[in-house]
């Protein structure tokens, strides 16, 4: 699932390419009967209203909240996209073919848009410059909805999300207070809880804990102030590093140009099972275990359990 750096990279791309452009048309094939009555474009009735509202509106800009892409429109409405497991937003020129499967094809000079990871187009916003914002989503899990901008952050999608870790107001003290809301939780799971801290998922929690010398099974209430200070410091460093490298493309993620990020080349723990730990002076081997249905990758030598 795209995490904070991948979502921020996507938002930066929308700001670069689509800001100031008008939405001239919308297409989707996301429809599913299980979404009847829900405010989701997978509901045909909602999509009809969604299309009516967004066509003709200009894109004022985009921002990120946790793992959500927020596209602000000129009519005081905001398109919210949560890319879920396999979604990513692309920008380029597309044509619709008569093919039953994957009918939208790139007609752009940017060859990267023809990458096989980018062919699963299920939502297309046609823009006033003749190009498109397209959502590729192999597993069709992504969520797209429309929210009144003035009440956006009080909406059900956003109101319970924790603080943003890259803001100046997110201090080590704030992190300690947030962790204290889950005193008996395992730190790996707690860091991924969007109500505690925004934007961290499986990849970056592994990397943060590896760099902080904290075992993923450590209980939050047993962490010392020194532990929390180090987690706070590494959270900021590693998330910024993820953005600097254009996100992580160990799986499906691609940026708006259709190109993979490079943070997967920087992994110290995530998916390095059986490999030597690269911490200076450490002789450990990276292990993998399941915590709450998710994989955790860690070094049992320098990452110690605090419980």
């Amino acid at each position: 699932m795209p995490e904070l750096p991948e979502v921020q990279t996507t938002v930066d791309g929308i700001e670069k390419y689509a800001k100031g452009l008008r939405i001239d048309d919308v297409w989707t094939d996301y429809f599913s009967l299980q979404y009847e009555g829900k405010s989701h474009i997978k509901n045909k009735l909602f999509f009809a209203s969604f299309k009516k509202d967004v066509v003709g509106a200009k894109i004022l800009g985009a921002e990120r909240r946790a793992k959500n892409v927020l596209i602000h429109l000129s009519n005081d409405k905001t398109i919210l996209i949560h890319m879920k497991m396999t979604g990513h937003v692309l920008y380029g020129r597309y044509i619709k073919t008569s093919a039953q499967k994957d009918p939208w094809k790139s007609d752009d000079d940017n060859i990267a848009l023809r990458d096989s990871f980018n062919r699963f187009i299920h939502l297309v916003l046609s823009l006033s410059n003749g190009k498109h914002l397209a959502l590729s989503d192999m597993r069709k899990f992504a969520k797209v909805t429309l929210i009144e901008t003035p009440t956006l952050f009080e909406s059900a999608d956003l109101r319970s999300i924790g603080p943003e870790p890259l803001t100046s107001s997110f201090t080590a003290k704030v992190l300690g207070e947030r962790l204290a809301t889950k005193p008996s939780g395992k730190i790996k799971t707690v860091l991924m809880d969007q109500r505690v801290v925004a934007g961290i998922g499986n990849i970056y929690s592994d990397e943060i804990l590896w760099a902080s010398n904290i075992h993923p099974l450590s209980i939050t209430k047993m962490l010392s102030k020194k532990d929390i200070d180090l987690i706070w410091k590494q959270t900021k460093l590693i998330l910024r590093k993820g953005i600097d490298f254009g996100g992580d493309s160990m799986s499906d993620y691609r940026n708006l140009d259709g190109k993979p990020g490079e943070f997967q080349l920087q992994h110290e723990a995530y998916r390095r099972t059986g490999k030597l730990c690269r911490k200076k002076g450490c002789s450990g081997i990276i292990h993998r275990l399941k915590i709450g249905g998710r994989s955790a990758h860690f070094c049992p030598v320098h990452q110690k359990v605090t419980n």
Side-chain angles (χ1 to χ4, degrees), residues 64 163-171 232 236 240:
R64 178 192 56 77
E164 289 289 340
L166 294 183
T167 60
S168 59
S169 60
F170 185 77
T171 62
W232 170 78
K236 288 184 177 282
R240 287 193 181 111

Side-chain angles (χ1 to χ4, degrees), residues 111-126:
I111 295 174
L113 293 174
R114 298 168 202 168
D115 179 333
S116 61
F117 280 96
N118 298 328
R119 71 182 189 273
F120 307 101
I121 305 298
H122 296 297
L123 174 69
V124 177
L125 303 180
S126 300

Side-chain angles (χ1 to χ4, degrees), residues 7-74:
V7 179
Q8 187 61 54
T9 301
T10 298
V11 164
D12 291 345
I14 294 171
E15 280 276 304
K16 175 182 177 180
Y17 290 125
K19 188 174 182 177
L21 297 177
R22 185 182 64 246
I23 299 173
D24 285 344
D25 200 5
V26 187
W27 171 93
T28 191
D29 68 349
Y30 261 125
F31 304 127
S32 172
L33 290 176
Q34 73 184 75
Y35 286 88
E36 284 187 3
K38 296 184 179 180
S39 299
H40 197 304
I41 64 161
K42 294 178 183 178
N43 170 11
K44 283 191 175 184
L45 287 177
F46 180 82
F47 177 70
S49 174
F50 175 93
K51 183 173 182 178
K52 182 179 178 182
D53 282 334
V54 305
V55 170
K58 283 188 177 180
I59 294 174
L60 298 181
E63 68 175 314
R64 178 192 56 77
R65 180 70 173 107
K67 300 177 185 179
N68 299 282
V69 175
L70 307 173
I71 303 175
H72 301 305
L73 305 180
S74 58

Side-chain angles (χ1 to χ4, degrees), residues 275-307:
K275 295 182 180 179
L276 286 171
C277 178
R278 293 197 286 232
K279 177 80 80 171
K280 187 176 180 180
C282 184
S283 60
I285 301 292
I286 300 298
H287 285 209
R288 173 180 174 271
L289 59 81
K290 286 277 191 177
I291 304 176
R294 306 297 295 276
S295 293
H297 304 82
F298 65 99
C299 171
V301 174
H302 81 267
Q303 289 177 257
K304 301 298 185 182
V305 178
T306 305
N307 57 14

